[in-house]
Amino acid sequence: MIAKMLKTYVVSRRQQRENLLEALRTLGVMHLAPVDRGQAVAHEETVATIDRLRRAQQLLGAITPAGTKPHDVTTIQAAEEALAIHRAAAERRNRLGNLHRQINHLAVWGDVRLDQFAALREAGVQIGFYTLPARDAGAIQADLVQVVADRFGRGVLVAVVQRDGEAKIPDSAEPVELPPRDRRSLRTEAAEVDKQLADDEKRLAG
């Protein structure tokens, strides 16, 4: 049943207009109507603001509030912040997925760090990685030859260690560059992004 409503005119000073409208919206018991409906055409910016408020309401409707309503921001400011957090969170989730794909792609390298390779080079130990047919791996002559992966591209991945002189590598071998990042640094960044996402959820919940 719809309660009978009374028609009321509300007047305020121009500089208090926004405060008045905010107070009326907060009451939630009034239906606002323009004096001249023929001229009451919503401004483009107003339409855009209403759309943002609607999207923010849909977004926040699925979140259980965890705090109290802040008193230092307006409804529009809160909606803008919620949408900004939502956009940033979407970008972070995309980045997190990309990081996990990189981590999985580098599984063949294990958890060795790039700075460990750099330390070995500084100590005079040269390490090279090559991919070649498995049958040719035995033809490599070096201080140490270790098959790192049995399946890598069309052959095997071999680590070749040589301290003095040069290792003898068969023509069928192709050098493999070290990845630009190691799994440890990727996991560290992934943990940071994950924490940012958790902070975003807390902020949206209040």
Side-chain angles (χ1 to χ4, degrees):
M1 178 178 179
I2 300 177
K4 184 177 180 180
M5 301 182 71
L6 297 176
K7 186 174 182 179
T8 303
Y9 292 92
V10 181
V11 180
S12 74
R13 295 180 179 179
R14 183 182 299 274
Q15 59 268 31
Q16 295 177 330
R17 180 177 181 274
E18 293 299 326
N19 292 336
L20 172 63
L21 292 176
E22 181 68 23
L24 293 176
R25 282 193 292 265
T26 302
L27 288 175
V29 295
M30 294 188 178
H31 172 73
L32 303 180
V35 176
D36 187 347
R37 293 183 180 274
Q39 297 182 0
V41 179
H43 191 272
E44 182 178 345
E45 182 179 350
T46 301
V47 174
T49 300
I50 293 174
D51 180 65
R52 290 195 295 272
L53 288 171
R54 184 181 298 110
R55 287 187 286 119
Q57 184 179 24
Q58 293 174 348
L59 169 65
L60 297 174
I63 299 175
T64 302
T68 58
K69 179 181 177 180
H71 299 286
D72 57 342
V73 295
T74 66
T75 300
I76 294 177
Q77 289 173 333
E80 294 285 2
E81 182 180 3
L83 293 175
I85 292 174
H86 182 64
R87 288 191 297 269
E91 294 176 359
R92 290 189 177 109
R93 282 190 291 270
N94 182 62
R95 178 57 180 165
L96 187 61
N98 185 42
L99 288 170
H100 283 302
R101 285 190 292 272
Q102 291 184 60
I103 291 171
N104 293 334
H105 182 70
L106 295 178
V108 66
W109 299 98
D111 291 328
V112 65
R113 304 192 310 271
L114 294 177
D115 60 349
Q116 292 174 322
F117 288 118
L120 288 172
R121 285 195 297 269
E122 291 179 2
V125 179
Q126 299 301 318
I127 302 179
F129 292 90
Y130 300 87
T131 179
L132 72 169
R135 63 178 180 273
D136 294 341
I140 299 175
Q141 297 182 23
D143 293 340
L144 176 65
V145 179
Q146 178 65 47
V147 175
V148 177
D150 294 330
R151 294 182 180 179
F152 192 86
R154 297 182 179 179
V156 296
L157 178 64
V158 177
V160 178
V161 179
Q162 185 72 22
R163 179 175 290 275
D164 299 316
E166 294 184 2
K168 293 184 178 180
I169 309 297
D171 295 336
S172 59
E174 296 181 4
V176 176
E177 297 292 333
L178 288 173
R181 298 184 63 181
D182 54 46
R183 299 179 82 190
R184 180 181 181 181
S185 68
L186 291 171
R187 287 195 185 102
T188 298
E189 183 181 351
E192 293 174 353
V193 174
D194 206 30
K195 182 181 181 303
Q196 291 171 340
L197 285 171
D199 292 340
D200 289 341
E201 292 182 2
K202 291 180 181 179
R203 180 57 180 165
L204 286 175

